[in-house]
Amino acid sequence: DAGVIQSPRHEVTEMGQEVTLRCKPISGHNSLFWYRQTMMRGLELLIYFNNNVPIDDSGMPEDRFSAKMPNASFSTLKIQPSEPRDSAVYFCASTQGGSGGYNEQFFGPGTRLTVL
Amino acid sequence: AQSVTQLDSQVPVFEEAPVELRCNYSSSVSVYLFWYVQYPNQGLQLLLKYLSGSTLVKGINGFEAEFNKSQTSFHLRKPSVHISDTAEYFCAVSERDGQNFVFGPGTRLSVLP
């Protein structure tokens, strides 16, 4: 299995531009998570999907952030407009089952976003 | 809701010395416990997990952790560390019958030559 795939691996953009991060979960996994990692705040859960439906988006910072999962094999996280404080590494993770339980989460390699 | 505390944000240790990374959790329900490792410029990967049974759990790369229910702890140990163990380590807790999976703030382990 190829594992969780994220693209792009690196993104440099200017303030005000739209940014779209992409994720392909492991085949057969029905839960998907988006995390953000910064030195200041550590690892933060942004949103969690189960069976393509957003279950918990309480971690999404503000209306500039949106996430979609149109099918079981693809998800996007969009930031519009982007700001310098959005600079971080964004991780996608997937698992079988729900957010709780005994199944481990499998992480992608992350997208390093820099907003100038 | 559960929470995870990792008291040490950074742990420097010399090569071949033993190390213990501390993790404490709080939860009103039964939980599963996990340790993840994040090597530089990589995503997190599972090191070990406690589901049930023996409270001593062995993981990859010579790491082990012990579940202590009375102290609500799940400390990670390795008897002799290598330079390659330099990474950030995250403790996580998951509700057995719930929908919550929570990561701790992480401990950065630096192994010095």
Side-chain angles (χ1 to χ4, degrees):
Chain A
D1 197 320
V4 176
I5 299 172
Q6 291 187 248
S7 64
R9 292 294 310 276
H10 302 273
E11 177 80 32
V12 180
T13 190
E14 293 187 345
M15 182 174 62
Q17 296 298 306
E18 178 180 295
V19 175
T20 299
L21 310 182
R22 297 173 176 79
C23 175
K24 176 179 170 54
I26 292 174
S27 177
H29 285 186
N30 63 342
S31 289
L32 183 140
F33 308 81
W34 282 101
Y35 291 90
R36 178 172 68 177
Q37 187 177 39
T38 61
M39 289 293 293
M40 291 296 293
R41 295 186 172 186
L43 191 66
E44 302 173 277
L45 176 64
L46 299 179
I47 188 169
Y48 150 54
F49 291 88
N50 183 252
N51 293 323
N52 311 336
V53 176
I55 302 300
D56 180 5
D57 65 353
S58 59
M60 295 287 265
E62 49 199 270
D63 292 345
R64 297 185 298 106
F65 285 69
S66 62
K68 294 182 180 180
M69 192 164 186
N71 57 63
S73 59
F74 184 65
S75 177
T76 60
L77 177 67
K78 185 176 293 187
I79 308 173
Q80 166 63 20
S82 58
E83 296 182 2
R85 60 189 168 125
D86 301 330
S87 297
V89 181
Y90 291 81
F91 288 103
C92 176
S94 71
T95 189
Q96 290 179 315
S99 175
Y102 56 82
N103 291 307
E104 69 175 282
Q105 293 185 18
F106 291 81
F107 281 73
T111 295
R112 183 174 296 275
L113 174 64
T114 302
V115 183
L116 304 174
Chain B
Q2 68 270 45
S3 66
V4 181
T5 302
Q6 293 182 247
L7 291 174
D8 305 305
S9 60
Q10 296 188 57
V11 173
V13 63
F14 287 106
E15 192 174 17
E16 298 184 4
V19 70
E20 178 179 85
L21 306 182
R22 296 180 291 171
C23 172
N24 288 88
Y25 69 94
S26 66
S27 177
S28 57
V29 299
S30 295
V31 297
Y32 299 112
L33 295 158
F34 305 78
W35 275 99
Y36 284 76
V37 60
Q38 184 182 26
Y39 297 107
N41 300 312
Q42 295 186 27
L44 281 70
Q45 57 184 278
L46 184 70
L47 201 56
L48 50 79
K49 62 182 176 182
Y50 172 77
L51 303 182
S52 65
S54 172
T55 56
L56 184 63
V57 180
K58 294 188 183 298
I60 61 173
N61 300 337
F63 283 92
E64 63 182 31
E66 185 157 20
F67 169 55
N68 187 318
K69 188 175 182 179
S70 63
Q71 297 187 6
T72 60
S73 68
F74 191 53
H75 300 334
L76 181 70
R77 303 186 184 97
K78 186 169 183 178
S80 175
V81 294
H82 302 289
I83 297 288
S84 59
D85 292 323
T86 294
E88 188 148 19
Y89 292 80
F90 293 88
C91 183
V93 60
S94 169
E95 291 181 343
R96 284 180 177 252
D97 298 315
Q99 291 293 315
N100 289 306
F101 191 105
V102 177
F103 282 95
T107 296
R108 187 172 299 275
L109 174 66
S110 298
V111 181
L112 310 171

